[in-house]
Amino acid sequence: MSLTLRTISRQQHLAYIQSLRAASHMQVPAWADVKSEWRSESLGWFDKTGQMVGAGLVLYRQLPKIKRYLAYLPEGPVINWYAPNLEDWLQPMLAHLKKQGAFSVKMGPPVVIRRWDANAIKAGIADPDAKRLRDVEPTFIEPRAFEVSDKLRRMGWQQGEEEGAGFGDVQPRYVFQVPLENRSLEDVHKGFNQLWRRNIKKAEKAGVEVVQGGYEDLPTWQHLYEITAERDKFRPRPLSYFQRMWTALNTEDPNRMRLYFAIHEGEAVAAATMLIVGGHVWYSYGASANHKREVRPSNAMQWRMLRDAYALGASVYDLRGIGDSLDESDHLFGLIQFKVGTGGQAAEYLGEWDFPLNKLLHKALDIYMSRR
């Protein structure tokens, strides 16, 4: 299969994404507007008949003082990762990015390598010998993912971060997903653990109401988000980031981003953002107040978001990143504990990969990143 690669327009890129069942929200053209501090480019792969068969959003971050760039394809590119001729897809991309001044390329193949269902994770948490997800027997293994990994290594790609959840600029390797395809809402609800079902009922009895908000409600979101950041000790993004995200994504598709609030006695006590691309729906950011936690607003909000994702015909509701630690003293353990209650499954992606086009500059970036 002879493939050609070239820069494409945003319209072509969006049309290709819309023709798919799903793709990462970080691979839609509007994501470039969200990440406005990066230069961006849309790439298209074409077969010999001239039909587009793949697309990628590239973000370029310039090195200080010199016109050389880190080229980053978050959770992409959107290509046939299981193609036997994977090199024919990636070599033209590397050649093109080098011409564009890239000294290093980072990408995140959207390829799942292992899955663990809720029962397997619970057993792992109860097992004193299981320290991490990898110590637990997976429920599902994708053998083709190992082939992809081997091919990438042979081509000279280097594996990114091996351990941990990969939060920050690097996308999480481990995520938690609730499959919705071929299941009734009743099945989904039955899949919740007792605590989740009890908490949903408790919120209902307490009169918690979950509503959708709009752009004008983002300051209310920001207030709750900053409370959460202080409580959980992370650096919050500014309000302008979420305003830009809302404008960029919903201009591209009016139903790309949603905002939800859990209201109790007239007060917003929890909030979340949701992203939608085809049949894939993400719970993207979450926030909650320090008080009124006993009325379980977060459980009520997740159940409403899940039902809405189901109504949209989604095949998966993605709760995004988790840590891979099963140790209760780990600061990320609470995430997996909360999410496993939905009865979904943990998925391990192949992780992010780097290709140094200029080894010296790539090494210098590595040293700089490790000192941050």
Side-chain angles (χ1 to χ4, degrees):
M1 184 184 184
S2 67
L3 293 165
T4 54
L5 175 134
R6 63 174 181 267
T7 305
I8 55 172
S9 70
R10 286 178 67 133
Q11 290 78 9
Q12 284 174 294
H13 186 170
L14 181 60
Y16 183 73
I17 295 291
Q18 286 169 335
S19 75
L20 305 174
R21 182 75 187 99
S24 169
H25 61 277
M26 295 181 199
Q27 282 295 304
V28 301
W31 194 251
D33 301 326
V34 178
K35 298 293 173 186
S36 55
E37 69 278 20
W38 299 65
R39 181 165 74 82
S40 66
E41 182 183 21
S42 290
L43 298 179
W45 280 258
F46 296 84
D47 66 15
K48 57 178 178 234
T49 70
Q51 187 180 340
M52 202 192 304
V53 289
L57 176 70
V58 189
L59 302 173
Y60 294 96
R61 172 61 67 89
Q62 189 175 345
L63 275 181
K65 296 183 182 140
I66 58 169
K67 277 205 139 178
R68 300 303 295 276
Y69 302 87
L70 165 68
Y72 182 36
L73 294 98
E75 297 185 2
V78 185
I79 59 172
N80 178 8
W81 284 95
Y82 300 131
N85 60 332
L86 191 57
E87 198 161 334
D88 295 350
W89 292 78
L90 297 178
Q91 285 310 118
M93 180 182 86
L94 289 173
H96 175 88
L97 297 175
K98 192 172 186 175
K99 268 190 206 157
Q100 295 288 313
F103 67 88
S104 185
V105 181
K106 183 184 278 294
M107 66 177 183
V111 173
V112 171
I113 194 163
R114 297 177 187 87
R115 290 186 189 275
W116 295 263
D117 66 19
N119 289 334
I121 298 165
K122 283 177 206 161
I125 291 169
D127 179 355
D129 294 331
K131 304 287 183 237
R132 297 191 172 274
L133 271 174
R134 286 271 186 99
D135 300 333
V136 179
E137 188 74 33
T139 316
F140 165 82
I141 290 180
E142 175 53 82
R144 294 178 302 170
F146 293 94
E147 290 170 28
V148 173
S149 189
D150 288 344
K151 283 175 187 172
L152 291 175
R153 278 204 181 84
R154 284 202 299 272
M155 280 181 232
W157 289 86
Q158 297 169 5
Q159 180 68 83
E161 176 189 349
E162 267 302 339
E163 296 295 336
F167 283 96
D169 287 337
V170 177
Q171 303 315 317
R173 178 175 300 192
Y174 295 91
V175 302
F176 204 87
Q177 300 173 337
V178 180
L180 300 177
E181 211 160 23
N182 304 321
R183 295 176 80 195
S184 68
L185 261 183
E186 198 184 351
D187 291 339
V188 175
H189 189 261
K190 275 183 188 160
F192 289 165
N193 68 12
Q194 262 183 318
L195 183 64
W196 261 78
R197 289 203 298 268
R198 205 163 49 234
N199 285 346
I200 290 166
K201 206 169 263 182
K202 196 182 268 187
E204 219 171 277
K205 266 192 180 157
V208 173
E209 191 194 353
V210 180
V211 298
Q212 265 185 257
Y215 179 87
E216 67 286 355
D217 301 304
L218 284 169
T220 308
W221 147 264
Q222 190 68 19
H223 172 67
L224 287 167
Y225 172 63
E226 285 175 9
I227 289 169
T228 308
E230 196 176 325
R231 183 177 67 235
D232 295 349
K233 298 178 175 55
F234 65 85
R235 197 170 67 197
R237 292 189 182 276
L239 172 61
S240 58
Y241 179 82
F242 295 102
Q243 289 172 326
R244 188 165 69 240
M245 195 173 173
W246 182 278
T247 305
L249 296 179
N250 287 338
T251 299
E252 179 176 273
D253 180 327
N255 200 27
R256 183 78 83 219
M257 180 176 175
R258 291 184 179 188
L259 180 60
Y260 286 84
F261 292 100
I263 311 285
H264 185 252
E265 294 172 340
E267 182 190 5
V269 286
T273 61
M274 183 161 118
L275 300 175
I276 302 148
V277 184
H280 202 125
V281 171
W282 293 264
Y283 154 55
S284 170
Y285 285 88
S288 59
N290 291 330
H291 62 296
K292 295 202 172 182
R293 304 183 80 148
E294 71 283 355
V295 298
R296 305 299 177 193
S298 294
N299 297 89
M301 188 169 62
Q302 287 297 339
W303 177 225
R304 163 72 192 271
M305 289 165 73
L306 245 164
R307 295 199 316 270
D308 284 3
Y310 189 88
L312 287 165
S315 53
V316 64
Y317 179 70
D318 196 323
L319 289 127
R320 289 294 283 164
I322 52 171
D324 70 332
S325 174
L326 302 177
D327 175 2
E328 291 183 28
S329 65
D330 190 282
H331 73 292
L332 290 173
F333 178 75
L335 270 180
I336 197 168
Q337 196 177 34
F338 177 73
K339 293 175 184 182
V340 82
T342 61
Q345 47 190 220
E348 180 193 355
Y349 280 84
L350 265 191
E352 297 201 314
W353 294 72
D354 299 301
F355 195 99
L357 293 164
N358 178 317
K359 287 188 170 64
L360 198 66
L361 287 176
H362 178 83
K363 186 75 187 148
L365 179 78
D366 259 1
I367 293 165
Y368 168 72
M369 293 305 279
S370 67
R371 285 180 182 162
R372 273 175 75 184

